[in-house]
Amino acid sequence: MNEQFPHLLQPLDLGFTQLRNRLVMGSMHTGLEDRFYNYGKLAAYFAERARGGVGLIITGGISPNRQGWLLPLGGTMNRYGDVINHRRVTQAVHKEGGKILMQILHAGRYGFHPFVVSASATKSAISKFKPKEMTENEILATIKDFGQCARLAQLAGYDGVEIMGSEGYLLNQFICRRVNQRTDRWGGALENRMRLPLEIVKETRGRVGARFIISYRLSLLDLVEGGNSRQEVIDIARALEAAGVTLLNTGIGWHEARIPTIATSVPRAAFRQVTGALRANLRIPVVASNRINTPEDAEAILASGEADLISMARPLLADPAFINKVAAGHPEQINTCIACNQGCLDQTFSGRRATCLVNPRAGFETELVYLKTGSPKKVAVVGAGMAGMSAATVAAERGHQVTLFEAAPAVGGQFTMAMAVPGKEEFRETVRYFQAEIQRTGVDLRLEHQVTAAQLRTFDAVVVATGVRPRIPSIPGVDHPKVMNYAEVLRGEKIPGQRVAVVGAGGIGVDMCEFLLHEPQQAIASWCQQWGVDLQGGGEGGLVAPVEPTIRRQVTLLQRKAGRMGAGPGKTTGWAHRLSLLQYKVRMLAGVDYLGIDDVGLHYRMDGEEAVLEVDTIILCTGQDSVRDVLQGQAEALPKNWYLVGGARVAGELDARRAIKEGAEIAARL
Ligand code: NAP
Ligand code: SF4
């Protein structure tokens, strides 16, 4: 056993079964579990995680009936045909020595379909559909459906089920006054509000017997008005324990909460003390979750007694072999989840299959395969940004002899700039991971090396991944000394003044505002103050009044397009960016024409009126152009097998997800 992580690697005896270590892969919807999808792909996805050593896996949410769907035709377990699909998953996981629970999720009023039901007929601000209030008979039928769903899961070979009671889904809707306005035996006092979850647990236990895991995911901090207090949460947890739950998993925040809980800007392990406070009141094992992404934090939480198990969902998408690397004494080789949501939740909420920005194989295990090559080639990769490092390390992993040329003194390319943005410190981990991979796979890295096409001619294949440079728009006066581009600012080469205009409100424009205004490496206490989170959870839903931040600069963000701005590109994180900019009083101007820049500032036209922004600094965040200098007039000198990837291929809408994916895909084919 690795002595650095004794608690994380310690097995857990549940009496009738044992978990091989303390890491749980938390539930995460991938899209693969939906009805009529290919359960072979889902089986391969989970088998890879089981092979990677995780102690327990929990599937994405599967509904017990049609009313409980999150999406039309979402994964459902209510007939024997479903059992056959799911057996493919359980058999694949068991073959790898893993254990797996099926999560039973009733979405309640979060369902995106016309059959939605809830405790009361109140619509959520994030939902399109108004729910129907459940009748007594519908409630009783739902309890039976949960029991039947669990029994079918047992027949499918699952080691247990998780009953989803957090994040604002149906059971959370019943348990909190926010949605539950009933006056019958299912509403009112806490004893009534928690009746439905308790009856479901009892029914489930009755259907599956004693030797089957029942995990219950309980919301510890609702982070919405009308949420429960700490004492109410403890009372519910105790009642669940008495009703027959084996494990208590935890959740933080409803989906409709306007406080980020898993975004990269949330400090690591921010909610550990909340789990600790609950665990002190229970005998059953408690699972800690939310923004825990390193073995060091996991070990510290377990060692301090704040939890018995650690749940990681996204970190296991990023690296299926997380725990095996810990056990082998190589935590530096972990491909760490950077909590960006770009590859996983942003995809899911756009109706696409979830994958991972830092691991393009996630969800595509049967499609993107890195086979050992039978004919090793001499491969040159030009550019050690994300696309280049991805191509180089995958090619080397497959057995090719790879040389990676980089003109700069360090690897990372554009990504090293993202690392400088407060709240994006996690991005450093990806650079560290690739550095470790370069070493492990034996890539020959040549830094500060401006390679020529003539030098490249000696290779069998060349991958050009020379990235992008900031686009300089043709605004009159753009060469004025008060103008800087985003790269110069993020690299610390130029220091902006007090009054700043940020030109361009894409992802980098929004990041730039955060860079100009936020404190770096925000501590948990100051993050809680900014967002109004009470980790003591004394009041309703764990909310307190937020503290106004100190405004360090006067910032105006501009774009030419009309419409709402300040959210950046992230579908699931955009609202938090926008709220953060509003907290820091960033002025946002959309639909502007840039007229010129001079000693006074930035002249622009908006709604037909000309105006000037009197600023000290103008920062250009106006997109990028491809860099292909190595090809200038020399492409014909390259070997026949040469490929362009990432920003060097297309600069528009370049993001790290596409860069890493393109690099890996080319390398998989070499
Ligand atoms: P971007 O998203 O394309 O935004 C560029 C901005 O510059 C646009 O808002 C555009 O708005 C403006 N612009 C473009 N050409 C201009 C011109 N000639 N003159 C004046 N304004 C111009 O690019 P980016 O912000 O540089 O980001 C690059 C990539 O990184 C994007 O794919 C982005 O998704 C990704 N990224 C993602 C995140 C994230 O958190 N997910 C963060 C940063 C970057 P108007 O044309 O309306 O003025
Ligand atoms: Fe983590 Fe981003 Fe990958 Fe999602 S896409 S698993 S948040 S690194």
Side-chain angles (χ1 to χ4, degrees):
M1 184 186 291
N2 184 322
E3 284 169 13
Q4 206 189 334
F5 302 100
H7 296 87
L8 182 56
L9 296 171
Q10 193 183 30
L12 178 67
D13 192 353
L14 295 173
F16 58 93
T17 188
Q18 220 191 37
L19 306 183
R20 56 187 167 180
N21 54 57
R22 302 303 179 100
L23 186 65
V24 177
M25 179 177 182
S27 174
M28 178 124 184
H29 190 84
T30 61
L32 291 171
E33 53 285 274
D34 293 338
R35 245 181 193 169
F36 310 123
Y37 215 101
N38 185 336
Y39 268 67
K41 287 187 180 22
L42 188 63
Y45 163 77
F46 282 129
E48 187 148 325
R49 272 87 200 152
R51 193 154 51 246
V54 62
L56 181 66
I57 292 171
I58 305 174
T59 68
I62 304 289
S63 305
N65 55 28
R66 189 175 67 161
Q67 292 82 352
W69 281 343
L70 196 51
L71 293 167
L73 300 176
T76 319
M77 178 75 106
N78 61 354
R79 56 188 190 196
Y80 285 95
D82 298 319
V83 169
I84 295 165
N85 272 336
H86 283 265
R87 270 201 190 128
R88 297 177 72 178
V89 171
T90 57
Q91 283 169 357
V93 168
H94 290 154
K95 203 166 147 215
E96 300 294 347
K99 289 204 160 62
I100 183 162
L101 310 185
M102 190 190 84
Q103 189 187 71
I104 310 180
L105 166 78
H106 192 306
R109 71 176 190 164
Y110 282 167
F112 191 79
H113 56 82
F115 316 113
V116 286
V117 292
S118 186
S120 302
T122 60
K123 195 175 89 60
S124 148
I126 61 165
S127 306
K128 269 213 158 106
F129 297 93
K130 185 172 177 192
K132 174 184 167 306
E133 179 173 310
M134 291 169 86
T135 63
E136 170 85 14
N137 280 345
E138 284 168 338
I139 293 174
L140 296 177
T142 301
I143 295 168
K144 295 271 175 229
D145 289 344
F146 267 83
Q148 169 71 355
C149 183
R151 175 66 189 133
L152 292 174
Q154 192 173 35
L155 291 176
Y158 282 103
D159 301 282
V161 289
E162 173 164 280
I163 297 170
M164 178 47 156
S166 69
E167 325 300 292
Y169 290 116
L170 181 77
L171 303 186
N172 222 173
Q173 292 160 25
F174 264 85
I175 248 172
C176 292
R177 284 171 294 262
R178 178 176 183 78
V179 179
N180 190 340
Q181 284 138 29
R182 304 177 74 98
T183 50
D184 59 5
R185 67 189 184 113
W186 308 97
L190 182 62
E191 179 190 6
N192 288 349
R193 301 200 308 273
M194 66 175 159
R195 192 182 306 280
L196 176 59
L198 293 181
E199 290 302 320
I200 285 173
V201 170
K202 287 181 205 157
E203 173 74 15
T204 303
R205 185 53 83 203
R207 294 297 304 271
V208 298
R211 301 173 65 81
F212 194 65
I213 300 171
I214 300 180
S215 166
Y216 188 95
R217 187 148 186 219
L218 179 66
S219 178
L220 298 199
L221 281 181
D222 295 310
L223 301 182
V224 287
E225 282 166 20
N228 286 327
S229 67
R230 159 85 44 93
Q231 191 52 52
E232 286 174 313
V233 171
I234 291 171
D235 291 347
I236 298 163
R238 283 195 180 131
L240 288 166
E241 181 178 68
V245 162
T246 324
L247 297 176
L248 199 106
N249 195 357
T250 58
I252 305 286
W254 288 36
H255 285 319
E256 67 201 66
R258 291 299 87 180
I259 296 170
T261 54
I262 58 167
T264 192
S265 55
V266 178
R268 283 181 181 171
F271 307 103
R272 55 185 284 186
Q273 75 171 79
V274 185
T275 317
L278 178 73
R279 186 184 181 245
N281 288 279
L282 297 178
R283 287 185 310 276
I284 53 174
V286 173
V287 189
S289 75
N290 282 63
R291 279 297 278 125
I292 306 168
N293 64 342
T294 66
E296 290 79 10
D297 276 337
E299 178 66 22
I301 293 168
L302 294 168
S304 69
E306 286 166 315
D308 303 276
L309 291 153
I310 302 292
S311 170
M312 298 190 190
R314 297 173 300 167
L316 271 286
L317 254 76
D319 198 333
F322 186 102
I323 200 79
N324 279 354
K325 289 178 181 176
V326 172
H330 286 297
E332 80 287 355
Q333 289 178 3
I334 291 174
N335 194 1
T336 305
C337 164
I338 56 174
C340 63
N341 285 0
Q342 278 173 256
C344 51
L345 296 179
D346 285 353
Q347 298 297 304
T348 306
F349 283 90
S350 310
R352 290 191 285 263
R353 195 192 314 177
T355 179
C356 172
L357 179 142
V358 299
N359 172 21
R361 289 196 69 245
F364 290 80
E365 286 74 14
T366 57
E367 291 142 272
L368 181 57
V369 182
Y370 305 150
L371 290 178
K372 287 283 176 211
T373 179
S375 52
K377 295 187 183 68
K378 265 183 75 183
V379 178
V381 178
V382 189
M386 288 297 126
M389 290 198 289
S390 171
T393 53
V394 172
E397 171 73 30
R398 294 189 51 227
H400 293 300
Q401 188 191 326
V402 182
T403 308
L404 176 58
F405 297 101
E406 170 56 52
V411 299
Q414 293 274 306
F415 217 65
T416 53
M417 288 180 244
M419 285 158 31
V421 176
K424 284 197 162 178
E425 290 85 1
E426 287 289 1
F427 284 51
R428 282 181 209 145
E429 300 294 347
T430 307
V431 176
R432 183 263 309 144
Y433 162 74
F434 275 119
Q435 283 167 328
E437 278 297 281
I438 286 170
Q439 241 189 356
R440 185 185 69 79
T441 58
V443 169
D444 178 8
L445 173 64
R446 310 272 178 91
L447 292 173
E448 296 185 85
H449 193 115
Q450 197 86 48
V451 74
T452 64
Q455 287 170 305
L456 294 174
R457 203 176 312 151
T458 59
F459 289 85
D460 303 318
V462 174
V463 179
V464 176
T466 39
V468 293
R469 60 170 66 95
R471 177 188 297 140
I472 308 300
S474 51
I475 304 170
V478 76
D479 51 358
H480 191 279
K482 62 171 63 176
V483 178
M484 305 170 184
N485 69 52
Y486 69 84
E488 291 166 331
V489 176
L490 294 175
R491 288 200 187 109
E493 293 162 9
K494 293 191 177 171
I495 310 294
Q498 284 304 111
R499 300 167 309 158
V500 182
V502 176
V503 175
I508 292 182
V510 171
D511 276 359
M512 180 55 69
C513 294
E514 310 227 355
F515 177 82
L516 295 169
L517 293 162
H518 273 244
E519 61 176 281
Q521 295 277 20
Q522 199 172 22
I524 294 175
S526 100
W527 179 86
C528 287
Q529 283 182 352
Q530 181 190 345
W531 291 98
V533 175
D534 171 17
L535 292 180
Q536 309 303 324
E540 247 186 30
L543 297 177
V544 284
V547 174
E548 291 239 335
T550 311
I551 313 286
R552 293 193 288 162
R553 282 192 176 91
Q554 197 184 315
V555 177
T556 307
L557 178 64
L558 305 100
Q559 72 178 22
R560 296 174 303 180
K561 286 185 286 292
R564 199 174 155 84
M565 56 191 296
K571 202 168 168 67
T572 59
T573 49
W575 61 268
H577 286 302
R578 192 176 152 79
L579 272 180
S580 173
L581 298 194
L582 292 173
Q583 287 163 355
Y584 281 87
K585 311 246 181 306
V586 173
R587 193 174 161 212
M588 299 187 218
L589 302 180
V592 301
D593 283 328
Y594 306 113
L595 302 177
I597 296 164
D598 59 18
D599 289 345
V600 185
L602 174 65
H603 298 259
Y604 65 97
R605 187 186 301 112
M606 196 174 146
D607 299 330
E609 300 276 319
E610 290 191 10
V612 59
L613 267 181
E614 292 185 20
V615 289
D616 311 310
T617 307
I618 293 140
I619 305 178
L620 303 175
C621 301
T622 45
Q624 294 82 22
D625 297 318
S626 297
V627 176
R628 296 183 197 146
D629 300 351
V630 71
L631 301 176
Q632 283 320 324
Q634 307 188 74
E636 63 288 346
L638 294 179
K640 204 160 74 243
N641 293 335
W642 70 271
Y643 311 89
L644 264 179
V645 294
R649 191 176 70 79
V650 187
E653 292 182 17
L654 169 72
D655 60 22
R657 186 172 75 86
R658 173 160 76 77
I660 293 174
K661 181 165 176 281
E662 280 186 17
E665 283 174 348
I666 285 289
R669 293 206 303 268
L670 284 175

